Each structure stands twice: as C-alpha cells, then as structure tokens.
C-alpha cells in the first residue's frame, strides 16, 4: 500500500466570504461551515472561534481534535463516520498542517474532556497549543447526557469530523507544497537485505473498555469494543481509519489528530530498511474482565510470532484497569521472545509516591513513562475562555473538582485554576511526541 499525504502549511485562519486556502491562509465562510455542523438536528447552538498560539485564550471543555483533510478520490476522510465504509491507506490525501478542528462544549463537559491553554505555563503541557485551532463551540439537546459522567457528546464530536472534512476541501483543486509518502511492502515480498534487519511490530491498545457502545475508539466507524486484536497496515491509521472515543481521562486520550499524525508510526517508517524491518501495526484492545485481557494478549502474541517479530513497541491509551491489559500483553510478547518496550503514563498520586501502574511484572522491564496523570498543575487566569471554565469543576472532568479540603475548588474566583494533569487535553502524548523528561530528586 502506498499512501501520499499532500501537505499545505496553515499559518493563519480568518473568516471571509469563501472557504479557500491561499499562501498559508485558510479563509472560512463561517455561515457555510456552520451549515455543515448543523446537519445534525441535535445541535442547538454552534459557533466557530479561532485560537492561535500565543493568545491569552483557555479552551475547555475540549472533547476531540481533528486535522482537516480531503481525499483526492472524493471519498470520505473518515469512512464509516463521515461517509460510506471503504478501505483507506492507499492513494492520495490532502492535509492542512499546523491547524486542527477542536470540538468544544459550549455549556457542558464530561469525564473525558480536557483543557488547552494557548499561552503561558499551560501551553507546554499540550501539543495543541502549537496549532492554529478552529474551535467548534456547540451545545446539543441530548438531555440524557447532561448528568451522566461518561458523556458521549456524539453530535458535537461527529460534527467536528464533518467540519474537518469540509475545511479540507478548500485545497481539493490545489497542488500540495510537499508530499509525504508512506509505502510499506507486503511482509512476504521484502528484500533479503530488509529481512536481515531486526523485525519490529507496533502494538497499539486504543480505548475499548466501555461495553455500553458509543464511548470507545472507532475502527472504520466500528466500536472497538467489538474487536479482537488484528493486523492493520500503518497507512490505515494515518489515513482516517481510527477515530478517538469519549471515555478516556483526557491527558491519556489519543485524539483523532494523534492517530492521523502518529509520531511513532512515522519514526518506524523512517527507520524501515535502515535499522529495522517494520512489520506493521497490531491493533489490540482494552478489556474489563481478566479472561478478556488474557485472550487479547494471546492474540497479540500469536500475530507477533506469525509475523516473525523480534521486537515490539507497546502503547496503552489510559491507565488504571487498562494497565492489566498492558502488562498482560507485555508479558505474552516477552514470553514469545519478542523484546518489548512499553509506552504509557503513570498514576502515582499527587505526591508521586504510589505504584505507577495497577499491576507490574518483572518481564516488563523497559517502559517509557509519559507523565503522571495525578500531578498538580496551577495556572493563572486567561483573558478569554472559549467554552465554559466552570465545566472543569462542575461536570466531572477527570482532573477537576468542585471542592477539595486542602486545595479548595479547581476554578478560583479570579479565573485561575488548579487541576490534575488528568484534565490536560491529550497531555501525555503516549503516541510519541511527548516533550517530558524524567527528573531525579
């Protein structure tokens, strides 16, 4: 499979009479864009707000992030979600780089939502402070979700995907400034020179624990709770096959933008044929019951062995109960002779003194920590809030609270906040571009 991603660099975004792209400027016809958003009758209010790097803006509650794209063949950017089901990962897709569409709650947040600061101390905690963001700020009539902690916000999230597809169409008739090519030969058709290199497989564990469907990550529009571990071509993941879910505490979340731009996949591509033989991606799952976890690990082990993997990178979306899946899979790979490196965050408590993962094993002896979800973050007020700041404390966001006997409320009267890293939108960046480093005290 050969995927070409034609890139257009977005330096700024403005509103105007037509939705166009010219010389680094994306112009949006807001009225037309909102018509795309309001195709879902459940959306009762909606607006678009631009948030640029360095601006005194705080965005919360953020539910999802998507890179605007357009498929040259005219088919859906997100098959099974924004259009009919068909395979992706082959052909050419156009991408607006340096920007994203953010789905933001106008009045209500939920457990899996997070916060982005576009400047100051908070900006360093999330990748999205570096992008020019089109914030879709919306509300819905989904009353059944109002007081349910694990809110889906289906209408807002899927409207953001439609919006990203609409914005991507601005470049449909243009030639890209640069083209990234991702071309991976079938495993059985590779040269002897490549086959002599260490063979590496990437094992991804997207969130799929919720048995009540609609909260989990999606695979071609299919709830990942239904799936067993399967081999996927890395191009599929880069080209819209994976959609982020709403369940995960936010710093642990993999947004759709993260799937579209997965740094670990891109780095494995860079090393393919040089230092490694990149075999592809085993897309696994996360489960609740022990037997389910063992079954998934068994499947991952079998696929890795069948491919002849010498080594694996194992990435977990989440923490707590999913740690058991992570370690079970880690051990199964090691027992099969597949040397494994894990990537995950930790939950070590606000003081950093607790056990980092719920379960551990001596065989899991090479783990990259991407941060402590419980670490406290204190941030000053911002000039403008996009969304509703009160949601951080009121609506059960995983890192905020209404009151704390020592720290008081998350949201202070002057607009400053204290929260756990848990609420930083995609803050731990387990898929490979975390800037965090370890410190010893």
């Amino acid at each position: 499979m050969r995927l070409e991603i034609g890139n257009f660099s977005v330096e700024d975004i403005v509103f105007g009479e037509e939705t166009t792209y010219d010389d680094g400027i994306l112009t949006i016809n807001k009225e037309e864009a909102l018509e795309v958003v309001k195709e879902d009758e459940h959306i009762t209010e909606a607006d678009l707000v631009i948030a640029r790097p360095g601006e005194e803006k705080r965005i919360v509650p953020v539910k999802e992030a998507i890179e605007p794209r357009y498929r040259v063949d005219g088919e859906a950017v997100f098959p099974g979600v924004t259009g009919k089901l068909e395979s992706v990962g082959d052909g050419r897709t156009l991408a607006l780089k340096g920007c994203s569409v953010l789905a933001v709650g106008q009045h209500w947040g939920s457990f899996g939502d997070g916060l982005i600061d576009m400047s100051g101390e908070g900006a360093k905690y999330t990748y999205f402070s570096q992008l020019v963001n089109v914030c879709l700020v919306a509300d819905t009539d989904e009353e059944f979700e109002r007081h349910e902690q694990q809110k889906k916000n289906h209408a807002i999230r899927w409207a953001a995907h439609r919006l990203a597809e609409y914005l991507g169409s601005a470049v449909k008739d243009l030639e890209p400034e640069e083209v990234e090519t991702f071309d991976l030969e079938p495993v059985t058709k590779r040269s002897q020179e490549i086959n002599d290199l260490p063979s590496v497989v990437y094992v991804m564990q997207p969130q799929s624990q919720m048995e009540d469907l609609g909260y989990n990550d999606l695979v071609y529009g299919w709830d990942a709770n239904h799936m067993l571990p399967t081999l996927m071509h890395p191009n599929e993941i880069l080209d819209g096959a994976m959609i982020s879910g709403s369940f995960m505490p936010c710093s642990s979340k993999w947004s759709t933008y993260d799937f579209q731009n997965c740094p670990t996949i891109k780095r494995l591509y860079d090393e393919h044929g040089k230092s490694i033989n990149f075999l592809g991606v085993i897309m696994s799952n996360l489960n609740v019951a022990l037997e389910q976890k063992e079954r998934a690990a068994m499947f991952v082990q079998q696929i890795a062995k069948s491919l002849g993997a010498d080594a694996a990178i194992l990435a977990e979306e989440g923490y707590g109960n999913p740690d058991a899946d992570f370690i079970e899979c880690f051990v199964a790979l090691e027992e099969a002779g597949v040397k494994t490196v894990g990537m995950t965050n930790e939950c070590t408590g606000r003081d950093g003194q607790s056990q980092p993962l719920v379960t551990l094993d001596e065989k899991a002896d090479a783990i990259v920590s991407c941060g402590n979800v419980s670490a406290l973050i204190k941030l000053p007020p911002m000039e403008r809030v996009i969304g509703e700041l009160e949601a951080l404390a009121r609506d059960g966001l995983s890192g905020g609270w209404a009151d704390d006997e020592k720290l008081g409320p998350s949201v202070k009267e002057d607009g400053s906040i204290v929260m756990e890293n848990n609420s930083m939108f995609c803050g731990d960046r387990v898929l490979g571009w975390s800037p965090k480093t370890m410190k010893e005290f």
Side-chain angles (χ1 to χ4, degrees):
M1 294 174 68
R2 179 185 175 89
L3 172 65
E4 294 181 350
I5 298 182
N7 294 329
F8 296 82
S9 177
V10 175
E11 304 299 327
D12 197 9
I13 300 175
V14 297
F15 295 115
E17 294 184 0
E18 294 183 76
T19 297
T20 59
Y21 172 89
D22 183 53
D23 195 26
I25 306 299
L26 175 64
T27 302
I28 302 174
N29 180 323
K30 182 187 283 193
E31 182 178 349
E32 192 173 274
L34 288 175
E35 286 178 4
V36 173
V37 168
K38 292 179 178 178
E39 288 175 8
D40 190 322
E41 62 182 7
H42 291 291
I43 293 180
T44 56
E45 300 178 70
D47 192 16
L48 302 182
V49 182
I50 309 302
R52 303 172 180 87
E55 293 182 336
E56 284 267 332
K57 291 179 179 177
R58 173 165 292 153
I59 313 167
V60 63
V62 184
K63 304 173 182 299
E64 166 70 302
I66 311 109
E67 183 171 79
R69 291 190 175 184
Y70 178 81
R71 287 186 60 81
V72 171
D73 61 11
E75 299 297 339
V77 173
F78 304 105
V81 174
T82 57
K84 68 179 183 181
L85 180 63
E86 65 174 8
S87 63
V88 293
D90 209 14
R92 176 172 282 197
T93 295
L94 304 179
L96 295 174
K97 310 303 288 189
C99 68
S100 82
V101 172
L102 299 180
V104 184
Q106 184 168 344
H107 299 300
W108 296 92
S110 69
F111 177 78
D113 297 349
L115 177 145
I116 297 170
D117 273 0
M118 296 304 297
S119 63
E121 171 70 12
K124 72 182 183 182
Y125 288 98
T126 174
Y127 182 81
F128 296 92
S129 64
Q130 305 171 44
L131 305 179
V132 184
N133 297 298
V134 180
C135 304
L136 167 59
V137 187
D139 195 21
T140 75
D141 64 0
E142 297 168 300
E143 292 296 334
F144 69 95
E145 291 195 337
R146 289 289 190 235
H147 304 291
E148 201 280 307
Q149 191 185 48
Q150 315 290 3
K151 298 182 185 73
K152 305 177 195 178
N153 294 118
H154 178 279
I156 297 175
R157 294 166 58 79
W158 286 41
H161 288 89
R162 292 196 305 276
L163 177 60
E165 195 169 78
Y166 164 78
L167 296 179
S169 69
V171 298
K172 66 180 181 180
D173 297 320
L174 304 178
E175 281 298 312
E177 299 155 9
E178 66 166 2
V179 177
E180 293 180 279
T181 300
F182 302 96
D183 192 1
L184 195 65
E185 323 91 301
V187 174
T188 59
K189 305 292 184 182
R190 300 180 181 177
S191 68
Q192 188 62 48
E193 183 180 5
I194 290 177
N195 283 331
D196 286 341
L197 295 170
S199 295
V200 179
V201 67
Y202 186 29
V203 182
M204 302 178 73
Q205 294 180 310
Q207 182 53 233
S208 57
Q209 285 190 296
M210 292 292 284
E211 295 180 355
D212 186 1
L213 303 183
Y215 300 92
N216 301 304
D217 293 354
L218 302 179
V219 185
Y220 283 104
W222 198 43
D223 194 296
N225 182 265
H226 287 315
M227 71 179 291
L228 285 170
T230 187
L231 181 66
M232 291 184 71
H233 197 288
N235 290 5
E236 295 178 281
I237 294 135
L238 297 176
D239 198 30
M242 300 296 300
I243 296 280
S244 175
S246 65
F247 168 62
M248 203 63 244
C250 208
S251 71
S252 306
K253 187 190 294 290
W254 300 347
S255 70
T256 298
Y257 185 101
D258 293 309
F259 283 118
Q260 292 173 297
N261 293 278
C262 180
T264 301
I265 288 178
K266 290 188 175 183
R267 181 61 188 273
L268 288 166
Y269 255 116
D270 288 343
E271 294 300 320
H272 178 65
K274 300 174 185 176
S275 64
I276 64 166
N277 177 12
F278 180 25
L279 298 174
V281 176
I282 300 175
M283 191 63 66
S284 187
N285 53 357
L286 297 170
N287 306 277
V288 177
L290 180 59
E291 181 182 330
Q292 296 168 348
K293 298 174 188 291
E294 292 171 341
R295 182 182 296 109
M298 182 180 71
F299 269 90
V300 170
Q301 181 193 65
Q302 177 272 124
I303 296 170
K305 287 169 64 177
S306 297
L307 290 170
D310 298 310
I313 297 174
L314 172 63
E316 168 195 13
E317 183 182 13
Y319 67 93
N321 187 288
D323 293 343
D325 301 75
F326 179 72
I327 295 298
E328 189 77 31
C329 189
F330 208 124
V331 170
L333 288 166
E334 287 282 342
E335 288 180 345
V338 181
K339 301 302 294 181
T340 302
V341 173
M343 297 180 69
T344 186
N345 53 13
E346 308 173 52
C347 183
T348 56
R350 293 176 182 176
D351 61 1
Q353 298 299 309
S354 299
Q355 180 171 304
L357 303 179
V358 167
T359 182
L360 296 169
D361 190 282
E362 290 183 355
K363 294 184 177 67
D365 59 358
I367 297 176
V368 177
S369 171
C370 300
N372 173 18
V373 300
S374 302
L376 285 174
I377 299 172
K378 298 181 180 181
L379 300 174
M382 284 283 170
E383 287 182 1
R384 180 176 180 185
V385 173
I386 299 173
E388 189 170 68
L389 184 57
E390 290 75 14
L392 175 65
R394 183 193 63 211
D395 298 336
L397 273 66
S398 51
W401 53 86
D403 197 20
D404 181 275
E405 62 180 17
K406 293 183 179 180
L407 300 170
S410 275
V411 179
K412 310 301 181 183
E413 289 186 3
D414 65 353
S416 62
I417 59 174
V418 57
M419 67 179 199
E420 291 183 348
N421 176 51
N422 253 321
S423 277
M424 191 59 67
F425 185 74
C426 298
D428 292 333
R429 304 185 236 184
V430 170
L431 292 186
W433 46 23
S434 174
K436 294 177 182 177
T437 56
M438 296 296 291
K439 291 183 179 181
E440 291 187 5
F441 296 92

